[in-house]
């Protein structure tokens, strides 16, 4: 429990000349005003203003602010008037308390217009003195810490408002520790399941994490000592809500996130920051594209630091922030570090940059009478890490940085995204991959017959756009496969005087589908269309063995023999398999299957260049199954001297290693060299390797290599 002595002690640490007598007076006044009052927790009400005042000392605020924290609820929750506070503590403190009171009287209302009006009132209070919102943030922080004593409905409502408004405000004011606290507590009530999972994971790995932090700290210290650079280093686990956002953005679960720890290096000067960065990058392998210079380009809230990600001592990713002591103070205290009200401090007009965004909001709220327009401006300034763009009708849409017109189209409606063929940004035609900026007005051009392109997945950034494009591609491929499979089955049935429509209506095809473990007839058609099964497979399931004509029986028998290959396909049986001629895989090669349209499964080497261009959804895991002997064609190129008897020696090697020569091509060149392309049959990669080694030992042979495809 916080006591007034704790508050006085903290104030004197950063302001030894503070008027502590006035603080004591405010404490006694607050204690008398709240005498007999209790909170929902059953604790004396006085605990709350003491906690608020103590939080304000963590921001290093001035005496009027801390006194206002002690008195902030006296007007609203007791018999005290604003005039009485002014009489005891002066107009400055009375105005601060009055400003906080006005914000506190804003009721939580569900409608959007009511919420906008609430924000307007809050900004009006801030416009007179920004300390009002700092006191309100401290008030909200302690209320969040005691949220468990409210009903679940109120918990969710207050947590949502905190996450939507108060946490971003703390961020915009540069008070990162407070922003993080508010986010974590709000997250606890808005998504308790995920909150529990993450906290349990962090608890389980606490000892391991602390040991790792100490290990990395010592490594960093050793490196800096070699360069005689004075520094301080610390490490900490990332915040719970920050971890959750990373899980959502990168579609990971908690076990897949390895960079849960961030390290901070503090040095004396700006020049030392860049020297420290060089030492870090020389000591640990930097991760490309993961360095940000917030010193040269500070954030909107004037935050400065160098951020980099590197590979740690055990191959894991770690984040390191590098800053000066002054930058660290700014990051911790935020706007309070620029404080123009701080006793004895001369205000520097350059610091007005910190307040520029607030002035813009205040001017907007005075000029814009329409709530919707006001909220557009409010959000653009409050959430600088997102962008806000406008529809042709003037509605605002929130998108992440890097968003394109395609992201915008899908944000409006899935159908608009599917039919998007072009876009105008601020009246000018732009490519679909154009990166949007806040304030852009976008007009999407469509064509009713247009369809999404798979290439869009390379530049869209929103999860909605990516999901909708993938869903459409998958559905489109399925539709085409259904039509193709249906046509192939119908054609095959007609060859044998079987009625496709009769089998479909009578349920015979559904029975066949069930035989293949398909749920519907369309699933069966799609399977045939993709090439997983042939029409003859379908026919074989429909016609009993005793009733099959001799010719048909032979055809089906041939098909069935084809599945007896050296390839095992996970979860699938009876598939037509062929080996791709572009890479000619043989046992010993790493392989991958690819479903082709109407031609079964093509087996490629995993490193085949063609595989990289194929649709991932049609790739199938396959493996070699060598319980029987098979012969595989492979081509080798032999380069050597043009001499008599060379072909005979090559043939002898092939025969010795039991490889059958299928074909041979020989060429001679003016430099008295000769080359031969030999197609041979082998059973395994080891056999091929032995043949190549034996050929290389022949006198006059310069090189022997395996030939892929038709090269």
């Amino acid at each position: 429990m916080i006591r007034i002595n704790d508050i006085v002690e903290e104030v004197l640490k950063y302001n030894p000349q503070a008027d502590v007598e006035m603080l004591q007076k405010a404490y006694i006044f607050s204690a008398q005003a709240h005498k007999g009052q209790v909170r929902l927790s059953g604790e004396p009400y006085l605990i709350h203003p003491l906690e608020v005042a103590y939080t304000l000392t963590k921001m290093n605020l001035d005496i009027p602010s801390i006194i206002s924290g002690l008195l902030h609820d006296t007007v609203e929750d007791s018999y005290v008037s604003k005039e009485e506070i002014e009489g005891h503590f002066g107009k400055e403190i009375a105005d601060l308390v009055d400003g906080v009171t006005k914000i506190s009287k804003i009721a939580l209302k569900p409608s959007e217009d009511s919420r906008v009006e609430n924000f307007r009132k809050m900004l009006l209070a801030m416009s007179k003195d920004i300390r009002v919102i700092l006191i309100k943030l401290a008030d909200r922080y302690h209320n969040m810490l005691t949220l468990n004593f409210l009903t679940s409905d109120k918990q969710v409502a207050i947590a949502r408002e905190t996450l939507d408004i108060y946490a971003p405000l703390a961020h915009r004011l540069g008070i990162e520790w407070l922003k993080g606290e508010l986010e974590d507590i709000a997250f606890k009530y808005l998504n308790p399941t995920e909150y529990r999972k993450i906290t349990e994971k962090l608890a389980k790995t606490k000892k391991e994490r602390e040991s790792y932090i100490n290990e990395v700290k010592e490594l960093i210290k050793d490196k800096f000592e070699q360069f005689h650079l004075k520094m301080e280093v610390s490490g900490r686990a990332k915040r719970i809500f920050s971890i959750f956002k990373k899980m959502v953005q990168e579609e990971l679960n908690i076990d897949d996130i390895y960079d849960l720890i961030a390290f901070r290096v503090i040095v004396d000067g700006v020049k030392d920051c860049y020297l420290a960065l060089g030492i870090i990058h020389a000591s640990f392998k930097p991760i490309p594209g993961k360095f940000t210079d917030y010193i040269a380009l500070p954030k909107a809230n004037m935050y400065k630091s160098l951020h980099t990600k590197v590979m740690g001592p055990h191959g894991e990713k770690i984040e390191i922030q590098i800053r000066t002591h002054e930058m660290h103070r700014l990051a911790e205290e935020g706007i309070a570090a620029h404080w123009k009200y701080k006793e004895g401090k001369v205000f520097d007009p350059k610091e007005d940059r910190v307040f520029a965004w607030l002035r813009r909001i205040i001017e907007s709220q005075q000029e814009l009478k329409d709530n919707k327009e006001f909220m557009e401006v409010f959000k653009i300034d409050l959430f600088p890490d997102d962008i806000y763009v406008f529809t042709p009708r003037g509605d605002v849409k929130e998108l992440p940085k890097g968003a394109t017109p395609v992201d915008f189209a899908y944000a409006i409606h899935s159908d608009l995204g599917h039919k998007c063929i072009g876009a105008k940004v601020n009246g000018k035609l732009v490519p679909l991959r154009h990166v949007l900026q806040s304030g852009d007005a976008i007009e999407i051009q469509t064509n009713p017959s247009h369809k999404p392109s798979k290439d869009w997945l390379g530049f869209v950034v929103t999860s909605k756009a990516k999901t909708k494009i993938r869903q459409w591609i998958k559905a489109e491929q399925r539709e085409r496969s259904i039509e193709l499979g249906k046509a192939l089955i119908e054609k095959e049935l007609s060859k044998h005087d079987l009625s496709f429509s009769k089998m479909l209506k009578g349920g015979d095809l559904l029975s066949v589908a069930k035989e293949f473990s398909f749920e519907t007839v369309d699933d069966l058609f799609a399977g045939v269309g993709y090439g997983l099964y042939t029409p003859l497979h379908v026919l074989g399931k429909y016609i009993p063995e005793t009733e099959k004509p001799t010719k048909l029986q032979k055809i089906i028998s041939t098909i069935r023999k084809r599945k007896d290959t050296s390839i095992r396909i996970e979860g699938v049986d009876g598939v037509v398999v062929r080996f791709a001629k572009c890479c000619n895989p043989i046992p010993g090669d790493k392989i991958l299957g690819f479903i082709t349209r109407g031609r079964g499964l093509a087996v490629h080497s995993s490193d085949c260049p063609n595989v990289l261009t194929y649709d991932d959804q049609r790739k199938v895991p396959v493996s070699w199954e060598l319980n029987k002997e098979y012969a595989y064609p492979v081509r080798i190129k032999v380069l050597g001297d043009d001499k008599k008897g060379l072909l005979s020696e090559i043939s002898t090697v092939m025969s010795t290693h039991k490889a059958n020569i299928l074909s041979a091509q020989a060429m001679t060149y003016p430099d008295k060299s000769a080359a031969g392309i030999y197609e041979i049959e082998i059973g395994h990669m080891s056999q091929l390797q032995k043949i190549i080694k034996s050929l290389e030992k022949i006198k006059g042979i310069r090189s022997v290599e395996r030939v892929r495809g038709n090269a």
Side-chain angles (χ1 to χ4, degrees):
M1 175 178 160
I2 298 299
R3 301 168 302 163
I4 186 61
N5 291 343
D6 298 322
I7 295 170
V8 170
E9 185 180 330
E10 288 298 317
V11 169
L12 291 176
K13 285 180 182 177
Y14 64 86
N15 186 4
Q17 283 76 44
D19 188 350
V20 294
E21 287 186 12
M22 186 67 81
L23 269 178
Q24 295 281 2
K25 180 182 175 181
Y27 165 69
I28 294 169
F29 188 93
S30 180
Q32 290 174 342
H34 294 299
K35 187 176 181 180
Q37 295 179 355
V38 294
R39 305 196 86 207
L40 290 176
S41 62
E43 297 175 321
Y45 197 92
L46 185 61
I47 290 176
H48 174 64
L50 282 168
E51 291 281 357
V52 172
Y54 186 75
T55 298
L56 294 171
T57 67
K58 292 174 68 175
M59 300 182 201
N60 288 3
L61 288 187
D62 58 0
I63 288 297
S65 299
I66 297 167
I67 290 175
S68 299
L70 286 168
L71 304 176
H72 77 279
D73 275 341
T74 55
V75 173
E76 182 182 2
D77 294 331
S78 71
Y79 54 85
V80 178
S81 66
K82 178 186 175 183
E83 290 72 25
E84 192 174 352
I85 290 178
E86 186 173 343
H88 284 88
F89 303 98
K91 187 176 186 303
E92 179 184 6
I93 291 172
D95 286 342
L96 286 173
V97 173
D98 185 53
V100 178
T101 302
K102 286 177 179 175
I103 297 177
S104 299
K105 286 181 178 178
I106 297 171
L108 286 169
K109 297 179 181 177
S111 72
E112 183 64 25
D113 279 345
S114 296
R115 292 185 68 208
V116 176
E117 287 303 321
N118 293 347
F119 300 150
R120 282 182 180 273
K121 291 174 185 176
M122 183 171 66
L123 291 170
L124 279 171
M126 289 167 60
S127 67
K128 295 181 180 178
D129 196 323
I130 198 171
R131 288 177 293 179
V132 169
I133 197 60
L134 296 176
I135 298 166
K136 183 58 188 174
L137 283 169
D139 174 52
R140 176 53 62 103
Y141 175 48
H142 186 248
N143 284 336
M144 291 298 289
L145 290 172
T146 57
L147 203 58
N148 56 304
F149 295 103
L150 299 182
T151 63
S152 58
D153 289 347
K154 286 188 176 180
Q155 287 173 350
V156 171
I158 293 173
R160 173 52 59 193
E161 186 183 53
T162 299
L163 196 60
D164 287 347
I165 300 300
Y166 287 99
L169 269 174
H171 172 65
R172 206 62 172 84
L173 294 169
I175 314 170
E176 290 301 309
W177 72 267
L178 183 56
K179 171 231 179 191
E181 288 284 334
L182 292 174
E183 284 181 338
D184 283 354
I185 301 169
F187 178 53
K188 176 182 177 180
Y189 290 97
L190 293 173
N191 197 334
T193 302
E194 291 298 328
Y195 179 88
R196 186 177 63 256
K197 286 180 183 178
I198 296 171
T199 52
E200 287 175 354
K201 171 72 173 180
L202 292 176
K204 286 179 182 177
T205 58
K206 184 179 179 182
K207 287 186 178 179
E208 178 185 338
R209 194 167 59 248
E210 288 174 349
S211 173
Y212 177 78
I213 288 173
N214 290 331
E215 178 188 358
V216 175
K217 281 170 61 178
E218 289 304 314
L219 281 173
I220 293 174
K221 284 179 182 177
D222 289 344
K223 297 295 181 182
F224 277 73
E225 284 176 2
Q226 293 174 23
F227 290 87
H228 308 290
L229 183 62
K230 187 180 176 183
M231 51 79 78
E232 297 173 12
V233 60
S234 60
R236 58 171 177 79
K238 289 187 176 180
R239 288 197 169 272
I240 296 169
F241 187 65
S242 174
I243 293 171
F244 175 72
K245 285 196 294 185
K246 185 181 181 71
M247 289 166 59
V248 172
Q249 289 166 359
E250 300 184 17
E251 298 180 353
L252 302 171
N253 61 52
I254 184 65
D255 294 320
D256 295 326
I257 298 179
Y258 299 102
D259 52 338
L260 297 177
I261 301 171
F263 291 88
R264 183 176 295 142
V265 173
I266 300 178
V267 292
D268 290 336
V270 173
K271 192 162 56 175
D272 295 334
C273 288
Y274 291 97
L275 178 56
L277 178 70
I279 295 172
I280 293 294
H281 282 184
S283 306
F284 303 94
K285 185 177 180 180
I287 299 171
K290 295 297 181 180
F291 166 67
T292 309
D293 188 342
Y294 290 119
I295 295 178
L297 296 170
K299 288 186 178 182
N301 59 11
M302 300 307 293
Y303 172 88
K304 293 182 178 181
S305 191
L306 299 178
H307 287 199
T308 187
K309 277 192 177 180
V310 298
M311 301 302 290
H314 307 294
E316 68 292 338
K317 297 176 184 176
I318 56 174
E319 180 183 303
I320 300 178
Q321 301 170 357
I322 305 168
R323 59 179 67 153
T324 65
H325 291 279
E326 178 63 12
M327 291 173 193
H328 182 60
R329 187 174 72 86
L330 297 180
E332 290 298 302
E333 299 176 22
I335 205 167
H338 300 266
W339 203 244
K340 62 198 289 185
Y341 300 96
K342 196 171 288 184
E343 289 87 349
K345 181 178 177 182
V346 178
F347 177 63
D348 184 351
K350 291 180 181 178
E351 292 182 354
D352 246 5
R353 290 178 60 196
V354 182
F355 301 93
W357 70 275
L358 181 58
R359 287 200 308 274
R360 285 198 302 271
I361 294 176
I362 293 167
E363 289 168 3
S364 298
Q365 79 90 25
Q366 292 170 342
E367 295 172 2
L368 300 174
K369 302 304 178 186
D370 181 80
N371 282 339
K372 188 178 289 185
E373 292 179 14
F374 165 70
M375 282 304 290
E376 290 165 3
V377 175
F378 179 77
K379 286 185 175 180
I380 287 172
D381 279 299
L382 190 57
F383 300 90
D385 292 333
D386 293 325
I387 64 167
Y388 294 84
V389 295
F390 299 92
T391 69
R393 294 171 56 184
D395 295 330
V396 71
K397 286 290 174 185
E398 177 184 345
L399 296 169
K401 276 188 176 179
T404 65
V406 177
D407 292 293
F408 172 82
Y410 277 104
I412 300 295
H413 195 279
S414 298
D415 200 43
L416 186 67
H418 290 340
K419 296 176 181 177
C420 173
I421 60 169
K424 284 185 177 181
V425 174
N426 303 323
K428 295 181 180 179
L429 281 170
V430 297
L432 289 179
R433 60 173 62 243
H434 173 81
V435 177
L436 302 174
Q437 305 294 327
S438 273
D440 283 346
I442 299 102
E443 181 183 346
I444 298 297
Q445 298 173 328
T446 61
N447 184 322
S449 61
H450 187 261
K451 298 172 182 177
S453 168
K454 187 180 176 183
D455 295 339
W456 291 359
L457 292 172
F459 59 79
V460 296
V461 298
T462 58
S463 58
K464 182 177 180 181
K466 289 183 177 182
T467 300
K468 293 296 180 183
I469 293 167
R470 289 192 182 109
Q471 285 176 349
W472 188 91
I473 291 172
K474 190 174 181 180
E476 181 74 3
Q477 288 177 340
R478 177 176 166 80
E479 286 300 317
R480 286 202 296 262
S481 297
I482 288 173
E483 289 302 316
L484 176 61
K486 185 177 179 180
L488 290 172
I489 292 172
E490 188 171 6
K491 183 178 180 181
E492 192 62 43
L493 291 175
S494 66
K495 289 180 182 178
H496 304 284
D497 298 323
L498 295 170
S499 171
F500 174 83
S501 59
K502 186 177 178 181
M503 289 179 64
L504 186 60
K505 290 178 182 177
D508 294 322
L509 284 177
L510 180 58
S511 299
V512 172
K514 299 288 186 183
E515 289 276 338
F516 288 100
S517 300
F518 290 127
E519 290 295 322
T520 67
V521 174
D522 279 351
D523 291 338
L524 174 65
F525 293 158
V528 173
Y530 271 129
L532 283 172
Y533 300 98
T534 69
L536 282 173
H537 278 114
V538 175
L539 202 60
K541 292 286 185 182
Y542 174 67
I543 303 175
E545 197 74 33
T546 55
E547 298 179 13
K548 292 172 187 170
T550 306
K551 184 178 180 182
L552 178 60
Q553 201 165 355
K554 288 181 180 179
I555 296 172
I556 292 173
S557 177
T558 302
I559 281 290
R560 284 185 170 163
K561 284 179 181 177
R562 286 189 205 169
K563 77 173 184 179
D564 186 21
T565 67
S566 57
I567 298 298
R568 184 174 67 250
I569 306 162
E570 294 183 10
V572 181
D573 189 24
V575 179
V576 178
V577 176
R578 62 185 179 84
F579 293 96
K581 295 187 180 299
C582 54
C583 53
N584 292 325
I586 61 175
D589 287 331
K590 291 182 178 179
I591 53 176
L592 185 70
F594 181 74
I595 299 171
T596 59
R597 297 195 182 281
R599 298 174 62 198
L601 190 87
V603 179
H604 292 259
S605 297
S606 296
D607 59 356
C608 175
N610 289 336
V611 170
L612 300 175
T613 65
Y614 291 160
D615 184 357
D616 287 341
Q617 293 181 348
R618 294 168 66 186
K619 292 176 182 177
V620 177
V622 295
S623 58
W624 296 103
E625 192 171 55
L626 303 175
N627 53 356
K628 294 183 181 180
E629 289 188 6
Y630 292 91
Y632 302 89
V634 64
R635 299 163 75 226
I636 56 175
K637 182 178 180 180
V638 181
L639 182 65
D641 298 332
D642 183 12
K643 67 170 189 175
K644 291 181 180 180
L646 184 62
L647 182 59
S648 175
E649 290 183 68
I650 291 173
S651 299
T652 300
V653 168
M654 303 290 190
S655 177
T656 301
H657 290 285
K658 299 179 180 179
N660 181 35
I661 299 177
L662 299 176
S663 65
Q665 299 176 23
M667 295 153 283
T668 58
Y669 302 103
D671 64 349
K672 294 186 178 180
S673 65
I677 302 291
Y678 300 90
E679 184 174 11
I680 60 178
E681 283 186 333
I682 62 168
H684 195 272
M685 175 66 76
S686 59
Q687 184 184 3
L688 176 64
Q689 290 171 340
K690 290 176 182 177
I691 291 171
I692 291 175
K693 284 184 179 180
S694 297
L695 290 174
E696 288 173 339
K697 292 178 181 178
I698 297 175
K699 188 176 180 179
I701 295 293
R702 301 180 185 180
S703 65
V704 183
E705 62 180 4
R706 179 180 172 187
V707 178
R708 300 278 190 171
N710 298 314

